[in-house]
Amino acid sequence: MLKTDLRKKYIQKRKALSVDEALLLSEKIRESFLNYFKPLAGEKIHIFTPIEKFREINTQSFIEAFLVAGIRVFVPKVVGDHLISVEIFPNTEFETSSWGISEPVSNEDSGEYHFDYVITPLLYCDQNGNRVGYGKGFYDGFFQSISAASKKIGVNYFNPDEKIDDVWEHDIPMDYLVTPTEVLSFFSGVE
């Protein structure tokens, strides 16, 4: 299927989830992530904050668990036409952007480019790790600016059942996909 068709299909599938279903599936994804990757204190995780009206994976419980465990947490913030990475702490102040995203008030880019994990929003991911996002290209640009050793991990409510037919040469695939029922590895690098 083409990205535009997959985008429409999976936006509709998300809308069909109740708030309670989305929260339950988000918790299953969080548990799968923690059990599979076992992140450690001092590691660096870049993780998105969800757009609630789009029923994105609720990552608030991920963030809370990471901070309690002493993991360094970074979140994206759109500044101008690109994504910066802001390190957050338990007392970080947030505000809601015009896109409905909870972002740190600070515009200070951490300058960090090596993350142990980059937990990435997506609408769909296929069996090859190719992702469909909202089509703005923020994450493709972000992926080009970080260390290739950073593990790119997509999270999704749905398993990869369809192939993306219009993958572009500049698309950067995920290394892993975490769903409520499984963790798939597309990672071809040396661990």
Side-chain angles (χ1 to χ4, degrees), residues 52-71:
E52 291 179 19
K53 68 181 178 184
F54 292 157
R55 289 250 193 336
E56 287 188 334
I57 308 300
N58 184 332
T59 57
Q60 295 305 328
S61 66
F62 290 63
I63 292 168
E64 290 165 12
F66 296 156
L67 289 171
V68 166
I71 295 164

Side-chain angles (χ1 to χ4, degrees), residues 2-124:
L2 298 177
K3 288 180 184 179
T4 54
D5 297 327
L6 286 164
R7 190 172 287 122
K8 288 176 194 168
K9 178 179 180 174
Y10 284 92
I11 285 173
Q12 288 305 314
K13 285 184 80 158
R14 268 197 199 165
K15 284 182 181 177
L17 295 172
S18 72
V19 171
D20 287 342
E21 286 173 317
L23 282 173
L24 177 64
L25 294 172
S26 292
E27 284 307 301
K28 287 182 177 183
I29 292 167
R30 181 183 64 86
E31 289 170 15
S32 291
F33 176 86
L34 292 173
N35 290 333
Y36 187 89
F37 294 103
K38 298 175 178 38
L40 302 171
E43 288 188 317
K44 295 174 278 186
I45 297 180
H46 187 280
I47 183 169
F48 67 98
T49 54
I51 304 173
E52 291 179 19
K53 68 181 178 184
F54 292 157
R55 289 250 193 336
E56 287 188 334
I57 308 300
N58 184 332
T59 57
Q60 295 305 328
S61 66
F62 290 63
I63 292 168
E64 290 165 12
F66 296 156
L67 289 171
V68 166
I71 295 164
R72 294 179 64 194
V73 179
F74 301 80
V75 297
K77 182 170 185 176
V78 175
V79 176
D81 59 353
H82 67 283
L83 214 60
I84 65 168
S85 182
V86 179
E87 186 167 8
I88 63 167
F89 306 92
N91 62 347
T92 297
E93 288 185 48
F94 284 80
E95 62 189 0
T96 302
S97 74
S98 60
W99 294 31
I101 303 170
S102 181
E103 296 180 328
V105 171
S106 171
N107 283 340
E108 185 177 338
D109 190 344
S110 67
E112 190 62 55
Y113 72 94
H114 176 78
F115 300 96
D116 295 285
Y117 308 99
V118 178
I119 300 176
T120 308
L122 49 82
L123 288 165
Y124 182 74

